[in-house]
Amino acid sequence: MDIGRIGIWTFTLDLVPSAQAAEHVDQLDELGFGAVWVPEAVGREAFTSAALLLRGGTDIVVATGIAGIYGRDPMAAAAAQKTLTEAYPDRFLLGLGVSHQVMVEGIRKHDYSKPFSAMRDYLDGMDQAMFFAAPPTTEPQRVLAALGPRMLELARDRAAGAFPYFVPPEHTAIAREALGTGPLLAVEQAVVFETDPAKAREIARSHTKTYTGLPNYANNLKRLDPTLTDDDFAHAGSDRLVDAIVAWGTEDAIVARIQAHLDAGADHVCIQVITEGTEVPTPAWQRLSDAFGLRSA
């Protein structure tokens, strides 16, 4: 499976009718992006959404970023993965994750006391699941949402690689060291096309406010930079935290941040464009395609 160097992460396709979302996948394919990553939270169900989006494009990979393991049992996930891989060979990448306590316990009403063990057992269940249907002609691929050392090791040993989210390039270097040279390392990077610092950070905080209160992300960043304090995570993040997580400014500044991830060992960077609204950011996607020369690649 080839997902290229540059992809797009977006929640905005959940906010438009599915036929229109597939048209946007067509556009992303034509713009030269290697993959489009879509989330699963309280919007469309991950595998159903992927099936709808795979109607768009011919080469672009549709990846879940991420499908939560508490959303369905392992046998259902394995069957869905194989079904999509059979229908669209080498175009579906399953990103799996443990999500967050507030989502799992607060909304889904499951037990989140041992997320690492739950992931390990879930992978066992997927690998052992029965599937009496037309098999895929290519090997189904999965990556794990991984931040800390143990999950990165599990991604190395039990998956095609890792998908860290809400991380700076410094984490990418650590993740690459943990994974070694073979596994895929795909990372997410949020960007804002705005050169005024105050305005850029205001827009960026519409993104960071969702994540700064989540322990998985906060603990990972504190582990990465012990000088960060609770104050850095208050009010959607201090300036230095926002600047570490969200690349903003000119195209050159944004390209430089993406390149920093690639230089640190990422194989693929999926870019999340943050805007003042929730519209599908097609103009920004076009700018990114041009900045990276994707259509001529």
Side-chain angles (χ1 to χ4, degrees), residues 197-217:
K199 185 65 174 176
R201 289 176 179 135
E202 178 185 356
I203 297 170
R205 285 188 173 95
S206 70
H207 166 68
T208 58
K209 70 179 181 181
T210 303
Y211 303 105
T212 49
L214 295 175
N216 292 8
Y217 294 126

Side-chain angles (χ1 to χ4, degrees), residues 95-133:
L96 278 175
V98 297
S99 187
H100 302 274
Q101 185 173 18
V102 65
M103 174 65 71
V104 175
E105 294 189 346
I107 296 177
R108 291 191 179 274
K109 309 303 181 185
H110 294 291
D111 177 21
Y112 194 74
S113 58
K114 296 182 179 179
F116 177 80
S117 298
M119 174 61 84
R120 185 186 56 209
D121 294 345
Y122 196 90
L123 297 178
D124 290 340
M126 286 188 69
D127 292 345
Q128 297 163 11
M130 294 182 289
F131 184 70
F132 298 137

Side-chain angles (χ1 to χ4, degrees), residues 165-172 188-191 201 204-205 207-208 221-222 224-225 227-228 232-233 236-248 257-258 260-261:
Y165 183 96
F166 206 71
V167 293
E170 291 81 2
H171 182 272
T172 298
E188 176 269 348
Q189 175 63 58
V191 306
R201 289 176 179 135
R205 285 188 173 95
H207 166 68
T208 58
L221 292 174
K222 288 177 180 178
L224 190 65
D225 182 358
T227 68
L228 289 172
D232 286 298
F233 293 87
S238 64
D239 284 355
R240 70 164 177 157
L241 187 145
V242 168
D243 293 351
I245 291 297
V246 181
W248 55 265
R257 178 71 66 88
I258 306 305
H261 282 289

Side-chain angles (χ1 to χ4, degrees), residues 6-86:
I6 306 296
I8 292 293
W9 192 102
T10 183
F11 71 92
T12 61
L13 299 185
D14 261 14
L15 307 181
V16 299
S18 60
Q20 186 178 337
E23 292 174 359
H24 286 300
V25 175
D26 271 328
Q27 179 190 38
L28 290 170
D29 199 10
E30 292 171 0
L31 289 173
F33 293 101
V36 55
W37 297 74
V38 293
E40 179 181 56
V42 292
R44 289 182 176 136
E45 189 275 331
F47 291 97
T48 308
S49 178
L52 295 169
L53 295 176
L54 282 162
R55 297 176 300 169
T58 56
D59 298 312
I60 190 170
V61 171
V62 173
T64 57
I66 50 83
I69 65 171
Y70 297 92
R72 61 207 61 80
D73 69 27
M75 186 173 179
Q81 181 190 26
K82 291 171 183 175
T83 299
L84 289 175
T85 302
E86 186 277 326

Side-chain angles (χ1 to χ4, degrees), residues 135-205:
T137 58
T138 58
E139 185 70 20
Q141 299 293 323
R142 67 191 181 202
V143 293
L144 305 186
L147 296 174
R150 291 204 301 165
M151 199 66 80
L152 284 166
E153 290 174 3
L154 194 65
R156 178 194 65 200
D157 297 338
R158 300 292 304 278
F163 172 58
Y165 183 96
F166 206 71
V167 293
E170 291 81 2
H171 182 272
T172 298
I174 292 170
R176 172 49 68 197
E177 183 177 0
L179 292 174
T181 57
L184 175 71
L185 178 55
V187 301
E188 176 269 348
Q189 175 63 58
V191 306
V192 173
F193 281 102
E194 174 58 60
T195 57
D196 177 76
K199 185 65 174 176
R201 289 176 179 135
E202 178 185 356
I203 297 170
R205 285 188 173 95

